[in-house]
């Protein structure tokens, strides 16, 4: 099969230009990105936020009537997270890192447009692309003390505004749009607060910042009120959208070869459309796995691929408990709620041959509180629950509605009729009329009244003696007196053993451990010659070593994204 890249941040601009599908949701989001005012592009990973931003950037580049559109990605922000432990001025350095990226986006715009940047660099000594790039690179590697002191600390928001105004004036653009990709700095609250303070300051009469964020873990801090200061633009295609099958089909046509589109069975393609649950990146991954799968019946291959997909999503969700430890209990309880909902909906749908009823309704007054709402948002965060508009079924009977991920419903037999499975059943069910009422539950029936009442945050213990904290405002350990600091998520990721990297067999792990000193992700990540070190293991050559390094990189990127 042809090789195609699933992640939009790895695609060339010319491929970005030809591979975006044309559905009303995407057209509306593009209009919002180019419009005035601050916007937050909201969706789980893989819904197309980066793709849409880069497409918008590319199309505005050579269109004189469009605003000046500048693009910057902040996907490596967590590389700076260890600074919070080591440097008293970590937030100032992070602030400079963000501003350096924004100014550098001006140089990138000039380069992409084929314009000379000498005139721009002459406007201010701080508009130095080499120093800006050096500052960014060194800060991301944990260094940069000298260049920060000599250069980085003098970067300001005013310099960014000045740069945007200069570019807009030079090229006769009436206003400027900043596209701030991967702005959901969810795993470092302190940086997130600082970032959205910059976001707020960028918003002026002639400058409109737009940021892509996640629906569950993004916290905006005390100075940024998301509902008042920016309009939320959802970017997640509902499987109940009238254009759903058509849009997902266009994605396949644009990213696969003509031969692959012609050879894949239509029923199989429809199953994967719905099993991807409106996530284009997942859809492409399912197709890749199908084309790469070993011989077997179509049903066997599909069942295995969907089972693996559900396992991956579940593992990503469970990892939230490690990444944001103060919410680990909520993450655990959310998984229990989700599993119970999937069982209940699957049982009902498998018996219903006339309608489609895959919607869960949770009664609003059934023990809901900020903790319960946050628990549900984590499920939305990784794409396990799709939120729908709330409905009322009488006085004091209002229900929030959600669709559980189709892959999990499929696994639990929601689309099985009779004794066996058929490729046609899932698409056929999705074409049936929707049931009048959702599967109605309350939190107590899904989790138990005692569990709902005892939902709580988890406070990290003392790093020195392991004593549990007494409250969330505690600064020093009551047992040993040690100052309490947050553990570096980056360092925790680096400590993960290679056994936890998906796709590396136990036998291969055993050979690596027997013949090399590589034990953790950090060992591979930090090795100057990781391929050479891995090849010291028996039966590990260049190709297999490259595969291991790729799997480690994917896990690091997913863990820190």
């Amino acid at each position: 099969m042809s090789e195609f890249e699933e992640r939009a941040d790895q695609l060339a601009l010319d491929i970005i230009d030809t591979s975006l599908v044309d559905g009303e949701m995407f057209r509306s989001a593009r209009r919002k990105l180019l419009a005035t005012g601050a916007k937050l592009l909201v969706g789980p990973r893989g819904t197309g936020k980066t793709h849409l931003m880069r497409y918008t950037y590319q199309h505005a580049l050579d269109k004189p009537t469009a605003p000046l559109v500048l693009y910057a990605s902040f996907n490596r922000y967590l590389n700076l997270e260890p600074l919070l432990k080591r440097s008293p001025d970590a937030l100032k350095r992070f602030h400079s890192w963000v501003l350096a990226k924004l100014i550098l986006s001006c140089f990138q715009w000039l380069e992409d447009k084929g314009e000379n940047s000498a005139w721009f660099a002459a406007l201010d000594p701080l508009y130095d692309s080499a120093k800006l790039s050096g500052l960014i690179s060194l800060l991301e590697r944990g260094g940069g003390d000298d260049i920060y002191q000599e250069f980085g600390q003098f970067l300001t928001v005013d310099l960014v505004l000045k740069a945007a105004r200069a570019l807009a004036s030079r090229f006769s653009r009436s206003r400027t749009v900043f596209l701030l990709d991967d702005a959901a700095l969810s795993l470092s609250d302190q940086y997130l607060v600082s970032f959205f303070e910059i976001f707020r300051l960028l918003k002026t009469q002639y400058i409109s910042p737009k940021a892509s964020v996640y629906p569950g873990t993004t916290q905006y801090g005390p100075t940024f009120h998301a509902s008042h200061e920016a309009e939320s633009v959802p970017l997640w295609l509902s499987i109940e959208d009238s254009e759903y099958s058509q849009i997902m089909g266009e994605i396949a046509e644009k990213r696969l070869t003509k031969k692959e589109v012609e050879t894949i069975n239509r029923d199989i393609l429809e199953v994967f459309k719905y099993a991807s649950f409106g996530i284009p990146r997942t859809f492409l991954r399912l197709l890749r796995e199908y084309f790469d799968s070993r011989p077997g019946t179509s049903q066997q291959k599909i069942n295995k691929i969907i089972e693996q997909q559900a396992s991956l999503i579940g593992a990503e969700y469970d990892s939230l408990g490690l990444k944001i430890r103060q919410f680990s209990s909520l993450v655990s309880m959310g998984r229990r709620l989700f599993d119970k909902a999937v069982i209940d909906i699957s049982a009902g749908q498998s018996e219903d041959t006339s309608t489609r009823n895959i919607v869960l309704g949770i009664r609003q007054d059934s023990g809901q509180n900020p903790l319960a709402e946050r628990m549900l948002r984590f499920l939305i965060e990784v794409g396990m629950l799709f939120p729908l508009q709330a409905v009322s079924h009488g006085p004091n009977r209002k229900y929030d509605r959600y669709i559980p991920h189709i892959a999990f419903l499929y696994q639990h037999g929601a689309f099985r009729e009779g004794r066996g499975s058929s490729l046609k059943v899932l698409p056929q069910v999705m074409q049936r009329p929707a049931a009048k009422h959702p599967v109605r539950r309350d939190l107590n029936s899904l989790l138990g009244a005692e569990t709902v009442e005892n939902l709580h945050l988890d406070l990290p213990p003392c790093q020195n003696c392991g004593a549990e904290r007494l409250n969330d405002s505690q600064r020093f350990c009551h047992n040993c007196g040690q100052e309490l600091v947050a553990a570096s998520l980056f360092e925790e990721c680096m400590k993960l053993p290679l056994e936890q990297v998906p796709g590396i067999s136990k036998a291969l792990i055993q050979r690596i451990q027997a013949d090399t000193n590589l034990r953790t992700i950090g060992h591979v990540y930090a090795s100057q010659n990781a391929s050479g070190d891995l090849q010291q293991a028996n039966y590990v050559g260049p190709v297999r070593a490259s595969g291991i390094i790729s799997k480690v990189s994917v896990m690091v990127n997913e863990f820190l994204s």
Side-chain angles (χ1 to χ4, degrees):
M1 63 165 293
S2 66
E3 288 297 320
F4 55 87
E5 176 58 53
E6 298 160 7
R7 296 180 64 95
D9 53 0
Q10 301 297 324
L11 292 175
L13 283 176
D14 59 337
I15 299 178
I16 287 284
D17 186 35
T18 59
S19 58
L20 188 71
V21 297
D22 191 34
E24 176 53 36
M25 181 189 70
F26 295 102
R27 291 194 297 270
S28 174
R30 290 201 302 270
R31 290 194 294 267
K32 295 286 188 181
L33 288 182
L34 290 173
T36 58
K39 304 287 190 291
L40 297 175
L41 195 61
V42 185
R45 295 171 179 82
T47 52
K49 299 186 295 296
T50 294
H51 200 143
L52 187 69
M53 281 192 164
R54 296 190 69 203
Y55 178 93
T56 302
Y57 170 80
Q58 169 72 4
H59 271 250
L61 190 65
D62 297 315
K63 188 176 181 181
T65 58
L68 171 71
V69 177
L70 303 170
Y71 173 88
S73 174
F74 301 91
N75 59 355
R76 296 178 65 103
Y77 77 94
L78 208 52
N79 285 18
L80 279 71
E81 200 260 357
L83 288 174
L84 290 169
K85 292 177 63 180
R86 297 199 306 264
S87 302
D89 59 352
L91 289 177
K92 292 182 179 179
R93 296 186 184 218
F94 170 79
H95 192 269
S96 295
W97 177 79
V98 172
L99 299 179
K101 279 185 164 287
L102 294 177
I103 298 174
L104 204 59
S105 71
C106 298
F107 283 97
Q108 186 63 55
W109 188 89
L110 289 166
E111 180 182 331
D112 291 337
K113 194 166 174 59
E115 297 285 346
N116 191 300
S117 61
W119 69 271
F120 179 73
L123 294 176
D124 195 291
L126 292 172
Y127 296 164
D128 186 321
S129 61
K131 287 186 177 180
L132 290 166
S133 298
L135 174 69
I136 292 168
S137 178
L138 288 170
L139 286 175
E140 289 177 353
R141 288 156 51 191
D145 290 350
D146 292 340
I147 195 171
Y148 172 73
Q149 295 296 335
E150 298 170 3
F151 176 79
Q153 66 172 322
F154 301 109
L155 300 178
T156 65
V157 173
D158 284 340
L159 278 172
V160 176
L161 299 177
K162 173 184 172 182
R165 288 194 297 266
L167 274 183
S169 175
R170 176 89 173 197
F171 294 94
S172 302
R173 304 294 177 108
S174 59
R175 54 190 178 83
T176 299
V177 169
F178 272 107
L179 299 180
L180 312 180
D181 199 10
D182 291 300
L185 317 186
S186 307
L187 305 182
S188 182
D189 292 350
Q190 292 169 280
Y191 285 160
L192 196 59
V193 172
S194 179
F195 181 89
F196 277 101
E197 177 62 21
I198 296 173
F199 182 93
R200 186 176 63 83
L201 294 174
L202 288 175
K203 182 183 176 182
T204 65
Q205 182 179 358
Y206 298 106
I207 297 179
S208 304
K210 325 282 179 171
S212 65
V213 298
Y214 300 140
T217 57
T218 304
Q219 300 181 45
Y220 301 99
T223 62
F224 184 84
H225 305 286
S227 59
H228 299 292
E229 299 195 51
E231 177 186 358
S232 291
V233 181
L235 195 74
W236 185 4
L237 184 64
S238 170
I239 59 172
E240 296 196 328
D241 190 297
S242 60
E243 295 184 302
Y244 183 83
S245 182
Q246 176 186 340
I247 290 174
M248 299 302 283
E250 287 182 19
I251 292 173
E253 291 172 2
K254 288 177 180 291
R255 301 296 294 276
L256 302 180
T257 66
K258 183 178 180 181
K259 180 180 179 181
E260 288 164 348
V261 173
E262 290 174 349
T263 55
I264 189 169
N265 180 287
R266 295 290 98 185
D267 293 328
I268 294 174
L269 190 62
E270 288 299 312
V271 169
F272 283 148
K273 286 178 183 178
Y274 290 107
S276 62
F277 206 45
I279 310 289
R281 187 189 301 168
T282 299
F283 183 44
L284 293 174
R285 183 187 302 139
L286 296 179
L287 291 172
R288 182 195 294 277
E289 291 176 358
Y290 180 78
F291 285 121
D292 289 347
S293 59
R294 296 180 178 179
T297 68
S298 295
Q299 189 66 64
Q300 288 173 335
K301 290 195 286 188
I302 286 174
N303 289 347
K304 183 177 181 180
I305 289 170
I306 292 179
E307 179 183 353
Q308 290 174 339
Q309 177 60 24
S311 178
L312 282 173
I313 298 169
E316 180 185 353
Y317 174 79
D318 293 340
S319 74
L320 291 177
L322 173 63
K323 296 177 182 179
I324 40 178
R325 291 195 170 185
Q326 67 270 34
F327 297 112
S328 59
S329 291
L330 295 186
V331 170
S332 176
M333 291 302 102
R335 185 60 184 267
R336 278 181 51 187
L337 178 146
F338 179 82
D339 291 344
K340 180 66 164 59
V342 166
I343 292 171
D344 290 357
I345 291 175
S346 297
Q349 180 60 67
S350 62
E351 297 173 358
D352 186 352
T353 59
S354 60
T355 64
R356 177 186 76 247
N357 195 359
I358 55 174
V359 178
L360 170 70
I362 300 181
R363 192 167 176 172
Q364 286 188 353
D365 60 349
S366 59
Q368 286 200 23
N369 55 52
L371 291 178
E373 292 170 4
R374 195 64 186 275
M375 175 183 66
L376 291 166
R377 286 204 297 272
F378 286 137
L379 290 165
I380 298 171
E381 166 94 2
V382 296
M384 291 173 70
L385 284 182
F386 186 97
L388 298 171
Q389 186 174 2
V391 296
S392 177
H393 291 287
N396 300 319
R397 294 175 61 206
K398 193 169 184 178
Y399 288 83
D400 292 320
R401 297 185 305 151
Y402 307 91
I403 302 176
H405 199 296
I406 292 295
F408 292 86
L409 295 177
Y410 183 95
Q411 261 197 307
H412 281 78
F415 310 108
R416 186 180 300 130
E417 294 184 351
R419 294 184 178 180
S421 300
S422 169
L423 298 177
K424 297 180 182 291
V425 175
L426 172 54
Q428 288 174 349
V429 169
M430 296 308 300
Q431 299 308 313
R432 293 175 186 170
K436 184 177 181 180
H437 300 295
V439 176
R440 290 177 284 190
R441 298 289 187 271
D442 57 33
L443 289 177
N444 290 342
S445 64
L446 291 168
L447 290 175
E450 184 176 352
T451 298
V452 173
E453 185 177 349
N454 292 324
L455 289 175
H456 63 277
L457 296 177
D458 299 280
L459 299 170
C462 172
Q463 291 178 301
N464 184 51
C465 70
E468 293 292 329
R469 303 190 188 204
L470 300 177
N471 56 65
D472 57 1
S473 61
Q474 186 177 355
R475 293 184 56 194
F476 297 92
C477 177
H478 62 280
N479 183 55
C480 68
Q482 181 77 21
E483 184 175 5
L484 298 172
V485 293
S488 166
L489 290 170
F490 183 82
E491 291 174 358
E492 287 189 19
C493 179
M494 294 299 102
K495 293 175 183 176
L496 291 175
L498 289 176
E499 294 96 308
Q500 295 190 22
V501 178
I504 304 180
S505 69
K506 291 182 179 179
L508 186 53
I509 289 291
Q510 289 173 353
R511 291 202 296 272
I512 293 172
Q513 291 178 341
D515 300 328
T516 78
N517 292 323
L518 302 175
R519 297 291 182 270
T520 67
I521 285 178
H523 290 165
V524 175
Y525 193 81
S527 173
Q528 192 173 15
N529 183 19
S531 178
D533 291 344
L534 285 165
Q535 289 179 55
Q536 294 177 19
N538 201 18
Y539 298 112
V540 176
V543 174
R544 183 164 286 175
S546 176
I548 295 170
I549 294 169
S550 177
K551 289 179 174 64
V552 169
S553 296
V554 167
M555 184 164 183
V556 171
N557 289 335
E558 291 297 328
F559 189 96
L560 302 182
S561 65

